[in-house]
Amino acid sequence: MAVTATERRAMDRALALATRGPRGVNPQVGAVILSPDGEVLAEGWHRGSGTPHAEVDALSKLAPGAARGATAIVTLEPCNHTGRTGPCALALIEAGVTRVVYALDDPGEVSGGGAERLRAAGVSVESGERATEARAVIGDWLTASRLGRPHVTVKWAQSLDGRAAADDGSSQWITGPEARADVHRRRAQADAIAVGTGTVLADDPALTARAGDELLTHQPVPVVIGTRPTPADAAVHRHPHTPLFFDTHDLSAVLAELHARGIQTLFVEGGPTLASAFLSAGLADRVLAYVAPVLLGGSRLAVTDVGVRSIDQARRLVVDEWLPLGADLLAIAHPADADDPDRTGPEKEGTL
């Protein structure tokens, strides 16, 4: 049975509801319950760890028996496991729901399989509706869940000829105020922000998210990667969060530790050595390249060795958006092999 126009509108509503939930180790999920004639009976969303999932939240607003014959519209496949809450697939079955339309499959080995359970109970199931839009809401969580590491965004600013600094090392400012403000907004959306020890020693960054001179409400946890010591008076020590220092070049180990700490999104701020190491290792899920209309020449490249020796080894990107920012241009891209389940296999584990 094809997805109806009413169900599509309900999915749009469920996606909007999903964004009300907090970002974190659990996905943002929204749900809408429709009567057999398409009337909205109830709505719900997940409010955080340990709270009812979106489907159960919506069902809780209905009288017993009111969902019999109903359709549940959900942004993520109903879960099929018992954790701090029970399996949503079973809750829908017991409520008498006869049809479920969802956007994305649950990638979890334990939590997945809800669709199969629903079908086995005679429930009609349709998947993939508004999948692109749903992925935009929980793409970071999907990466963390599938790969067991944070979703990694690698950012750099460059001149039109690909330089991150002039030959004397000066780099403030390649880009204009609009681009710099955009960077700070994106920092504030991340759980953590990472630089290499070389950047700490050369630039002494604060690694905060700011609007002008004011700190934004959410601050990413600062992460410093590398074996050189960080000076005791470095600006990173004055960050609102206690910095995390990783005296290693093993990026995979760093990501595993960050994931274990509940960090779901990592914003790699630089410099060129660290950014290139993540790219070379296949550990970048998103690329933000801010390009300024200036020429610097010289040898200080924004990206250095990414493991490419011939053109057939080129690391292909798919550009999702070209965003003008004042006089500058932001390229937002992701690796062309982003859906390849083996792209972060042992042969690509990263070292700095």
Side-chain angles (χ1 to χ4, degrees), residues 125-326:
V125 179
E126 295 286 344
S127 64
E129 179 59 32
R130 296 288 195 266
T132 299
E133 293 83 352
R135 193 171 287 110
V137 176
I138 62 168
D140 297 347
W141 176 85
L142 287 170
T143 297
S145 179
R146 181 167 66 90
L147 301 179
R149 62 164 177 79
H151 182 280
V152 176
T153 295
V154 175
K155 166 264 176 185
W156 67 83
Q158 66 173 66
S159 62
L160 196 60
D161 55 347
R163 269 59 181 180
D167 254 357
D168 66 355
S170 59
S171 61
Q172 295 181 338
W173 297 100
I174 290 177
T175 55
E178 294 88 350
R180 297 198 298 273
D182 186 77
V183 170
H184 281 277
R185 286 192 295 269
R186 294 178 189 274
R187 284 184 182 183
Q189 295 169 0
D191 295 331
I193 179 171
V195 294
T197 52
T199 294
V200 171
L201 295 172
D203 299 335
D204 195 24
L207 300 184
T208 52
R210 304 181 302 278
D213 293 330
E214 299 293 324
L215 292 180
L216 296 175
T217 301
H218 175 76
Q219 293 294 318
V221 174
V223 175
V224 179
I225 303 172
T227 57
R228 286 182 283 182
T230 298
D233 61 350
V236 70
H237 289 295
R238 299 188 291 277
H239 195 282
H241 295 298
T242 301
L244 300 177
F245 295 95
F246 292 91
D247 184 11
T248 180
H249 291 161
D250 188 339
L251 298 182
S252 294
V254 172
L255 292 179
E257 174 62 22
L258 293 176
H259 185 260
R261 289 173 175 266
I263 289 174
Q264 185 170 292
T265 55
L266 178 66
F267 192 85
V268 178
E269 183 80 12
T273 301
L274 186 64
S276 301
F278 272 98
L279 293 166
S280 179
L283 295 172
D285 304 297
R286 181 183 296 123
V287 166
L288 302 177
Y290 294 82
V291 183
V294 297
L295 300 175
L296 295 176
S299 60
R300 294 181 178 269
L301 296 172
V303 176
T304 57
D305 183 7
V306 294
V308 173
R309 299 292 173 263
S310 61
I311 193 65
D312 62 321
Q313 296 176 332
R315 296 188 177 276
R316 304 290 179 181
L317 300 176
V318 176
V319 176
D320 301 305
E321 186 177 3
W322 294 100
L323 181 63
L325 294 167

Side-chain angles (χ1 to χ4, degrees), residues 6-7 15 22 72 138 167 274 329:
T6 298
E7 291 169 343
L15 287 165
I138 62 168
D167 254 357
L274 186 64
L329 190 64

